[in-house]
Amino acid sequence: MNGMQIKSVGIWWNPTKEGALPIAGRVVRAFEDHGIEVCMDEPLAQALGRPVGAGADDFSGCDVLVVLGGDGTLLSGMDIAVPRDIPLLGINLGRLGFLCEVEPDDIESDVAQLVRGEYTIESRMMLEAKIPGHEPMLALNEVTFTRRWSAIRIITMEIEAKGMLVDRFAGDGMIIASPTGSTAYSFSAGGPVIAPGVDCMLLTPICPHTLQSRPVILPADEQITVKILGEPGAVQAAFDGRHSVQLSEGTREVCIARSKRCARFIRLHERDFYRVLRGKLSDWKH
């Protein structure tokens, strides 16, 4: 369970979360008490009365990116961490926090454990979508095809895997999810829960207008092609609910496959996925 020696950490935070600033101060002090260099962006540095150090804009050279917020903040932190292959440590300030590892009450003890090297790194598969005319798009949870806000028509599409027809579909949309994403939007749309260690991709229809359309689980090494049969301009592809691309005549087909990149999360404790699942989803509060 011994990890690498940590010399520098970056702090990524969600300033809209209640109590985020004092918790950020505790995190900074906890690392500095162990002689660890802390890098933060200008807004956080100013809020804490700290100087903005080198590499604050891109967190270059950081061994760990510590994220303060919920799963949504962790997803935004991945834009920094994944291209630089930096592992993430989530401190839960949200409601669910499936991906977060640290609760606020445990910050000081968990930071001490991290500094001692008593942790493991868990890799989670990511999805990569290729859309003509666009850079490849990454998603940890899901790629979702839905109507644009102004469109009212049913979406019609075909889903292929390895050149073979999986389903011809009409409805409100389609979710292509990873195992991590099986507890996100796909779960709300009626898809099954998949344990994180299972290598697969999940197709979950959104409000299908056909009797036979049901969730389908495919091997992770297959390439999925989504073909828009109706008006493509009425459809958008969204990535983890954060970035979206409006489709057009030139982007009727979108190819989705397992990415060569992965998201890496620091784990300090043994995780009972099923206990976390029961605890997070059985007491649904806003």
Side-chain angles (χ1 to χ4, degrees):
M1 191 175 176
N2 291 324
M4 64 180 176
Q5 182 180 2
I6 295 172
K7 299 179 180 179
S8 173
V9 301
I11 307 292
W12 182 253
W13 71 315
N14 183 348
T16 66
K17 290 290 185 183
E18 184 178 356
L21 186 58
I23 289 178
R26 284 177 56 199
V27 172
V28 171
R29 289 191 297 273
F31 278 106
E32 290 183 339
D33 286 346
H34 291 278
I36 306 299
E37 180 185 1
V38 178
C39 179
M40 64 194 82
D41 60 16
E42 186 173 354
L44 179 56
Q46 289 180 344
L48 293 175
R50 300 272 183 143
V52 180
D57 292 336
D58 63 0
F59 297 93
S60 58
C62 290
D63 299 311
V64 176
L65 185 66
V66 180
V67 180
L68 281 66
D71 283 348
T73 312
L74 259 177
L75 290 173
S76 69
M78 284 172 42
D79 292 343
I80 299 168
V82 170
R84 296 164 179 81
D85 199 30
I86 302 174
L88 298 112
L89 176 66
I91 297 179
N92 186 26
L93 306 184
R95 177 170 54 85
L96 288 178
F98 269 105
L99 298 172
C100 293
E101 182 69 9
V102 179
E103 296 297 329
D105 290 345
D106 303 322
I107 287 172
E108 287 77 13
S109 60
D110 281 355
V111 166
Q113 179 179 335
L114 176 66
V115 173
R116 291 195 302 269
E118 298 174 0
Y119 64 91
T120 57
I121 294 181
E122 177 188 21
S123 295
R124 295 286 185 100
M125 70 171 283
M126 299 188 71
L127 304 175
E128 180 175 304
K130 294 182 179 179
I131 304 175
H134 296 268
E135 291 292 321
M137 304 288 287
L138 295 179
L140 175 67
N141 283 335
E142 74 277 309
V143 181
T144 307
F145 296 85
T146 57
R147 292 190 295 255
R148 293 180 59 220
W149 67 270
S150 59
I152 58 175
R153 298 178 182 176
I154 287 176
I155 297 174
T156 56
M157 62 181 70
E158 285 183 351
I159 312 295
E160 294 183 354
K162 288 189 175 180
M164 295 178 287
L165 180 66
V166 177
D167 194 10
R168 184 173 290 109
F169 168 84
D172 285 352
M174 175 67 73
I175 302 166
I176 292 90
S178 68
T180 300
S182 71
T183 56
Y185 189 8
S186 174
F187 176 84
S188 298
V193 173
I194 300 173
V198 179
D199 249 4
C200 68
M201 292 184 286
L202 170 62
L203 311 182
T204 305
I206 304 172
C207 297
H209 199 63
T210 49
L211 288 175
Q212 81 275 11
S213 292
R214 293 293 182 267
V216 178
I217 297 173
L218 298 175
D221 60 355
E222 292 195 1
Q223 177 174 284
I224 297 170
T225 301
V226 178
K227 297 182 178 181
I228 307 302
L229 302 181
E231 181 186 350
V235 179
Q236 65 180 2
F239 305 88
D240 285 339
R242 301 187 308 113
H243 308 295
S244 64
V245 173
Q246 180 184 340
L247 304 187
S248 64
E249 284 295 336
T251 56
R252 280 184 176 271
E253 293 190 10
V254 178
C255 295
I256 300 167
R258 179 179 191 160
S259 174
K260 293 181 180 179
R261 293 187 177 274
C262 63
R264 302 197 300 149
F265 297 94
I266 287 180
R267 299 303 182 203
L268 299 167
H269 314 288
E270 291 291 334
R271 290 174 67 87
D272 182 340
F273 171 74
Y274 305 104
R275 183 179 63 81
V276 172
L277 187 70
R278 293 193 306 271
K280 300 291 186 182
L281 296 181
S282 63
D283 188 16
W284 193 264
K285 296 179 181 177
H286 293 276

Short mmCIF file of all heavy atoms in Angstrom, two decimals, residues 62-101:
data_model
loop_
_atom_site.label_atom_id
_atom_site.label_comp_id
_atom_site.label_asym_id
_atom_site.label_seq_id
_atom_site.Cartn_x
_atom_site.Cartn_y
_atom_site.Cartn_z
N CYS A 62 2.73 19.05 -9.95
CA CYS A 62 2.06 18.55 -8.75
C CYS A 62 2.00 17.02 -8.78
O CYS A 62 1.77 16.41 -9.83
CB CYS A 62 0.65 19.12 -8.63
SG CYS A 62 0.61 20.88 -8.25
N ASP A 63 2.20 16.41 -7.62
CA ASP A 63 2.11 14.95 -7.51
C ASP A 63 0.67 14.48 -7.33
O ASP A 63 0.34 13.34 -7.68
CB ASP A 63 2.95 14.47 -6.33
CG ASP A 63 4.42 14.81 -6.49
OD1 ASP A 63 4.97 14.53 -7.57
OD2 ASP A 63 5.01 15.36 -5.54
N VAL A 64 -0.16 15.33 -6.74
CA VAL A 64 -1.56 15.00 -6.46
C VAL A 64 -2.39 16.26 -6.68
O VAL A 64 -1.95 17.37 -6.38
CB VAL A 64 -1.75 14.51 -5.01
CG1 VAL A 64 -3.23 14.27 -4.69
CG2 VAL A 64 -0.94 13.26 -4.74
N LEU A 65 -3.61 16.09 -7.21
CA LEU A 65 -4.56 17.19 -7.26
C LEU A 65 -5.66 16.91 -6.25
O LEU A 65 -6.40 15.94 -6.38
CB LEU A 65 -5.16 17.34 -8.66
CG LEU A 65 -6.08 18.56 -8.84
CD1 LEU A 65 -5.28 19.86 -8.71
CD2 LEU A 65 -6.81 18.54 -10.18
N VAL A 66 -5.73 17.73 -5.21
CA VAL A 66 -6.73 17.59 -4.17
C VAL A 66 -7.94 18.42 -4.57
O VAL A 66 -7.82 19.62 -4.83
CB VAL A 66 -6.19 18.05 -2.80
CG1 VAL A 66 -7.25 17.90 -1.72
CG2 VAL A 66 -4.94 17.27 -2.43
N VAL A 67 -9.11 17.78 -4.63
CA VAL A 67 -10.32 18.43 -5.12
C VAL A 67 -11.31 18.57 -3.98
O VAL A 67 -11.67 17.59 -3.32
CB VAL A 67 -10.95 17.63 -6.28
CG1 VAL A 67 -12.21 18.33 -6.77
CG2 VAL A 67 -9.95 17.47 -7.42
N LEU A 68 -11.76 19.82 -3.74
CA LEU A 68 -12.72 20.11 -2.69
C LEU A 68 -14.07 20.40 -3.33
O LEU A 68 -14.24 21.40 -4.02
CB LEU A 68 -12.28 21.31 -1.86
CG LEU A 68 -11.21 21.11 -0.78
CD1 LEU A 68 -9.88 20.73 -1.41
CD2 LEU A 68 -11.03 22.37 0.04
N GLY A 69 -15.03 19.51 -3.09
CA GLY A 69 -16.36 19.70 -3.67
C GLY A 69 -17.08 18.37 -3.68
O GLY A 69 -16.89 17.52 -2.81
N GLY A 70 -17.92 18.17 -4.70
CA GLY A 70 -18.59 16.90 -4.88
C GLY A 70 -18.06 16.22 -6.13
O GLY A 70 -17.01 16.57 -6.66
N ASP A 71 -18.82 15.24 -6.62
CA ASP A 71 -18.39 14.54 -7.82
C ASP A 71 -18.31 15.47 -9.03
O ASP A 71 -17.46 15.29 -9.90
CB ASP A 71 -19.34 13.38 -8.12
CG ASP A 71 -19.10 12.18 -7.20
OD1 ASP A 71 -18.06 12.18 -6.49
OD2 ASP A 71 -19.94 11.28 -7.18
N GLY A 72 -19.18 16.47 -9.09
CA GLY A 72 -19.13 17.42 -10.20
C GLY A 72 -17.83 18.20 -10.22
O GLY A 72 -17.23 18.44 -11.28
N THR A 73 -17.35 18.61 -9.04
CA THR A 73 -16.07 19.32 -8.95
C THR A 73 -14.93 18.39 -9.33
O THR A 73 -13.96 18.81 -9.98
CB THR A 73 -15.86 19.86 -7.53
OG1 THR A 73 -17.04 20.53 -7.09
CG2 THR A 73 -14.70 20.85 -7.50
N LEU A 74 -15.02 17.12 -8.93
CA LEU A 74 -14.00 16.15 -9.33
C LEU A 74 -13.94 16.00 -10.84
O LEU A 74 -12.87 15.92 -11.43
CB LEU A 74 -14.28 14.80 -8.68
CG LEU A 74 -13.47 14.42 -7.45
CD1 LEU A 74 -13.94 13.08 -6.90
CD2 LEU A 74 -11.99 14.36 -7.76
N LEU A 75 -15.10 15.98 -11.49
CA LEU A 75 -15.13 15.87 -12.94
C LEU A 75 -14.45 17.08 -13.59
O LEU A 75 -13.72 16.93 -14.57
CB LEU A 75 -16.58 15.74 -13.44
CG LEU A 75 -17.28 14.42 -13.11
CD1 LEU A 75 -18.75 14.50 -13.50
CD2 LEU A 75 -16.61 13.26 -13.83
N SER A 76 -14.67 18.27 -13.04
CA SER A 76 -14.00 19.45 -13.60
C SER A 76 -12.50 19.40 -13.33
O SER A 76 -11.70 19.84 -14.17
CB SER A 76 -14.62 20.73 -13.03
OG SER A 76 -14.32 20.89 -11.65
N GLY A 77 -12.10 18.87 -12.20
CA GLY A 77 -10.68 18.73 -11.89
C GLY A 77 -9.98 17.75 -12.82
O GLY A 77 -8.76 17.86 -13.04
N MET A 78 -10.74 16.82 -13.39
CA MET A 78 -10.15 15.88 -14.32
C MET A 78 -9.63 16.55 -15.57
O MET A 78 -8.70 16.04 -16.22
CB MET A 78 -11.16 14.79 -14.68
CG MET A 78 -11.36 13.77 -13.58
SD MET A 78 -12.73 12.64 -13.93
CE MET A 78 -12.47 12.32 -15.66
N ASP A 79 -10.20 17.69 -15.96
CA ASP A 79 -9.70 18.42 -17.12
C ASP A 79 -8.24 18.82 -16.91
O ASP A 79 -7.48 18.96 -17.87
CB ASP A 79 -10.54 19.68 -17.37
CG ASP A 79 -11.95 19.35 -17.84
OD1 ASP A 79 -12.17 18.22 -18.28
OD2 ASP A 79 -12.82 20.23 -17.75
N ILE A 80 -7.85 19.03 -15.66
CA ILE A 80 -6.47 19.35 -15.32
C ILE A 80 -5.66 18.08 -15.13
O ILE A 80 -4.55 17.93 -15.66
CB ILE A 80 -6.41 20.19 -14.03
CG1 ILE A 80 -7.16 21.51 -14.21
CG2 ILE A 80 -4.98 20.43 -13.60
CD1 ILE A 80 -7.39 22.25 -12.91
N ALA A 81 -6.21 17.13 -14.39
CA ALA A 81 -5.43 15.99 -13.92
C ALA A 81 -5.18 14.94 -15.00
O ALA A 81 -4.07 14.41 -15.11
CB ALA A 81 -6.13 15.34 -12.73
N VAL A 82 -6.20 14.60 -15.79
CA VAL A 82 -6.06 13.48 -16.73
C VAL A 82 -5.00 13.74 -17.79
O VAL A 82 -4.14 12.88 -18.03
CB VAL A 82 -7.43 13.14 -17.35
CG1 VAL A 82 -7.26 12.15 -18.51
CG2 VAL A 82 -8.36 12.55 -16.30
N PRO A 83 -4.97 14.91 -18.46
CA PRO A 83 -3.91 15.12 -19.46
C PRO A 83 -2.51 15.09 -18.87
O PRO A 83 -1.54 14.80 -19.59
CB PRO A 83 -4.25 16.51 -20.04
CG PRO A 83 -5.69 16.73 -19.73
CD PRO A 83 -5.92 16.04 -18.42
N ARG A 84 -2.38 15.41 -17.59
CA ARG A 84 -1.07 15.44 -16.93
C ARG A 84 -0.78 14.17 -16.13
O ARG A 84 0.24 14.09 -15.46
CB ARG A 84 -0.99 16.67 -16.01
CG ARG A 84 -1.09 17.99 -16.77
CD ARG A 84 -1.40 19.15 -15.85
NE ARG A 84 -1.47 20.41 -16.57
CZ ARG A 84 -2.52 20.83 -17.27
NH1 ARG A 84 -3.61 20.05 -17.32
NH2 ARG A 84 -2.52 21.98 -17.90
N ASP A 85 -1.73 13.23 -16.17
CA ASP A 85 -1.59 11.96 -15.46
C ASP A 85 -1.35 12.17 -13.96
O ASP A 85 -0.52 11.50 -13.35
CB ASP A 85 -0.47 11.12 -16.06
CG ASP A 85 -0.57 9.64 -15.68
OD1 ASP A 85 -1.70 9.17 -15.47
OD2 ASP A 85 0.47 8.98 -15.59
N ILE A 86 -2.09 13.11 -13.38
CA ILE A 86 -2.00 13.40 -11.96
C ILE A 86 -3.14 12.67 -11.24
O ILE A 86 -4.30 12.81 -11.62
CB ILE A 86 -2.10 14.91 -11.67
CG1 ILE A 86 -1.01 15.68 -12.42
CG2 ILE A 86 -2.02 15.19 -10.18
CD1 ILE A 86 -1.16 17.20 -12.31
N PRO A 87 -2.87 11.91 -10.19
CA PRO A 87 -3.95 11.28 -9.44
C PRO A 87 -4.74 12.32 -8.64
O PRO A 87 -4.20 13.34 -8.23
CB PRO A 87 -3.24 10.30 -8.51
CG PRO A 87 -1.84 10.81 -8.40
CD PRO A 87 -1.53 11.52 -9.68
N LEU A 88 -6.02 12.04 -8.45
CA LEU A 88 -6.92 12.94 -7.75
C LEU A 88 -7.28 12.40 -6.38
O LEU A 88 -7.46 11.19 -6.20
CB LEU A 88 -8.21 13.16 -8.54
CG LEU A 88 -8.09 13.81 -9.91
CD1 LEU A 88 -8.44 12.80 -11.00
CD2 LEU A 88 -9.00 15.02 -10.03
N LEU A 89 -7.41 13.31 -5.42
CA LEU A 89 -7.92 12.98 -4.09
C LEU A 89 -9.11 13.88 -3.82
O LEU A 89 -8.96 15.10 -3.73
CB LEU A 89 -6.85 13.18 -3.02
CG LEU A 89 -7.31 12.95 -1.58
CD1 LEU A 89 -7.68 11.49 -1.36
CD2 LEU A 89 -6.24 13.39 -0.58
N GLY A 90 -10.30 13.30 -3.71
CA GLY A 90 -11.51 14.08 -3.51
C GLY A 90 -11.87 14.23 -2.05
O GLY A 90 -11.90 13.25 -1.30
N ILE A 91 -12.15 15.47 -1.65
CA ILE A 91 -12.65 15.77 -0.30
C ILE A 91 -14.11 16.16 -0.46
O ILE A 91 -14.44 17.15 -1.13
CB ILE A 91 -11.84 16.88 0.37
CG1 ILE A 91 -10.40 16.42 0.55
CG2 ILE A 91 -12.45 17.26 1.72
CD1 ILE A 91 -9.49 17.46 1.19
N ASN A 92 -15.00 15.40 0.12
CA ASN A 92 -16.42 15.50 -0.17
C ASN A 92 -17.08 16.69 0.52
O ASN A 92 -17.24 16.70 1.75
CB ASN A 92 -17.13 14.20 0.24
CG ASN A 92 -18.58 14.20 -0.18
OD1 ASN A 92 -18.97 14.86 -1.13
ND2 ASN A 92 -19.40 13.45 0.54
N LEU A 93 -17.50 17.66 -0.28
CA LEU A 93 -18.32 18.76 0.22
C LEU A 93 -19.70 18.71 -0.42
O LEU A 93 -20.47 19.66 -0.31
CB LEU A 93 -17.66 20.11 -0.09
CG LEU A 93 -16.22 20.31 0.39
CD1 LEU A 93 -15.77 21.73 0.09
CD2 LEU A 93 -16.10 20.02 1.87
N GLY A 94 -19.99 17.63 -1.13
CA GLY A 94 -21.25 17.52 -1.84
C GLY A 94 -22.23 16.62 -1.11
O GLY A 94 -22.07 16.29 0.07
N ARG A 95 -23.24 16.15 -1.86
CA ARG A 95 -24.29 15.32 -1.26
C ARG A 95 -23.99 13.84 -1.43
O ARG A 95 -24.05 13.07 -0.48
CB ARG A 95 -25.64 15.66 -1.92
CG ARG A 95 -26.79 14.81 -1.42
CD ARG A 95 -28.10 15.36 -1.94
NE ARG A 95 -28.10 15.51 -3.37
CZ ARG A 95 -28.40 14.52 -4.22
NH1 ARG A 95 -28.70 13.33 -3.76
NH2 ARG A 95 -28.39 14.72 -5.53
N LEU A 96 -23.64 13.42 -2.65
CA LEU A 96 -23.37 12.01 -2.88
C LEU A 96 -21.89 11.69 -2.73
O LEU A 96 -21.48 10.96 -1.85
CB LEU A 96 -23.88 11.59 -4.26
CG LEU A 96 -25.41 11.52 -4.40
CD1 LEU A 96 -25.79 11.15 -5.82
CD2 LEU A 96 -25.99 10.53 -3.41
N GLY A 97 -21.07 12.25 -3.60
CA GLY A 97 -19.64 12.05 -3.48
C GLY A 97 -19.19 10.61 -3.66
O GLY A 97 -18.40 10.09 -2.89
N PHE A 98 -19.69 9.93 -4.71
CA PHE A 98 -19.28 8.55 -4.98
C PHE A 98 -17.77 8.44 -5.16
O PHE A 98 -17.16 7.47 -4.76
CB PHE A 98 -19.96 8.04 -6.26
CG PHE A 98 -21.27 7.36 -6.01
CD1 PHE A 98 -22.47 7.98 -6.31
CD2 PHE A 98 -21.31 6.08 -5.48
CE1 PHE A 98 -23.68 7.35 -6.08
CE2 PHE A 98 -22.51 5.43 -5.25
CZ PHE A 98 -23.70 6.07 -5.55
N LEU A 99 -17.17 9.44 -5.81
CA LEU A 99 -15.75 9.35 -6.16
C LEU A 99 -14.84 9.95 -5.09
O LEU A 99 -13.63 9.77 -5.15
CB LEU A 99 -15.50 10.06 -7.50
CG LEU A 99 -16.23 9.46 -8.70
CD1 LEU A 99 -16.08 10.37 -9.92
CD2 LEU A 99 -15.71 8.06 -9.01
N CYS A 100 -15.41 10.68 -4.15
CA CYS A 100 -14.60 11.34 -3.14
C CYS A 100 -14.14 10.33 -2.09
O CYS A 100 -14.83 9.37 -1.78
CB CYS A 100 -15.39 12.48 -2.47
SG CYS A 100 -15.76 13.86 -3.59
N GLU A 101 -12.96 10.59 -1.53
CA GLU A 101 -12.35 9.66 -0.59
C GLU A 101 -12.35 10.17 0.84
O GLU A 101 -12.40 9.38 1.79
CB GLU A 101 -10.90 9.39 -1.02
CG GLU A 101 -10.14 8.39 -0.18
CD GLU A 101 -10.66 6.97 -0.34
OE1 GLU A 101 -11.50 6.73 -1.24
OE2 GLU A 101 -10.22 6.10 0.43
#
